[in-house]
Amino acid sequence: MKIWTFLLLVLFMTTSCSGNSGPQNLTWYNNSVITDVYDDPEKPAEFTRISIGISPQIFYLSKKGKDYKALLEKATMSHKKAKAYHIGIENNTNIIKQINEIP
């Protein structure tokens, strides 16, 4: 009986600790409109600078990210057409990781 309890405990611990921890590491800005999109003046080869909100907060898109083009397209549409999105910012980095449509 002890062996079954031990195996169940190990299985439970393995499955509960695995998974995608990415979204838990994001701060969300819901219903936000991007007010400006431009190359970062300090590191133009690495980042695009994004301003969010009326009193702008500055965040970044990494040009080296695999989804850079898709994120830049959504950021540009938000800026040009004042379209609101849910924007996920990686904690402690100010890098935009997700821009989601509002359902």
Side-chain angles (χ1 to χ4, degrees):
M1 187 66 167
K2 285 185 178 182
I3 190 75
W4 288 110
T5 305
F6 176 74
L7 288 174
L8 285 174
L9 181 62
V10 169
L11 180 64
F12 175 73
M13 293 299 289
T14 303
T15 57
S16 67
C17 294
S18 64
N20 188 0
S21 61
Q24 297 171 353
N25 194 28
L26 297 179
T27 299
W28 288 94
Y29 290 78
N30 294 324
N31 300 316
S32 297
V33 175
I34 292 174
T35 55
D36 208 356
V37 177
Y38 54 97
D39 284 335
D40 182 36
E42 295 171 11
K43 296 181 179 180
E46 294 180 37
F47 296 106
T48 298
R49 193 177 277 194
I50 306 290
S51 302
I52 298 175
I54 294 171
S55 49
Q57 295 182 358
I58 305 298
F59 300 101
Y60 301 92
L61 280 178
S62 173
K63 291 183 177 181
K64 296 178 182 179
K66 62 183 177 199
D67 51 356
Y68 171 74
K69 287 184 180 183
L71 292 174
L72 181 62
E73 183 178 317
K74 287 181 181 179
T76 303
M77 180 173 297
S78 178
H79 173 61
K80 288 183 178 179
K81 297 187 177 187
K83 183 174 179 176
Y85 286 97
H86 296 318
I87 302 170
I89 311 296
E90 185 177 42
N91 294 337
N92 302 321
T93 65
N94 286 344
I95 295 178
I96 296 172
K97 292 295 185 176
Q98 293 184 27
I99 300 177
N100 298 336
E101 298 278 338
I102 298 172

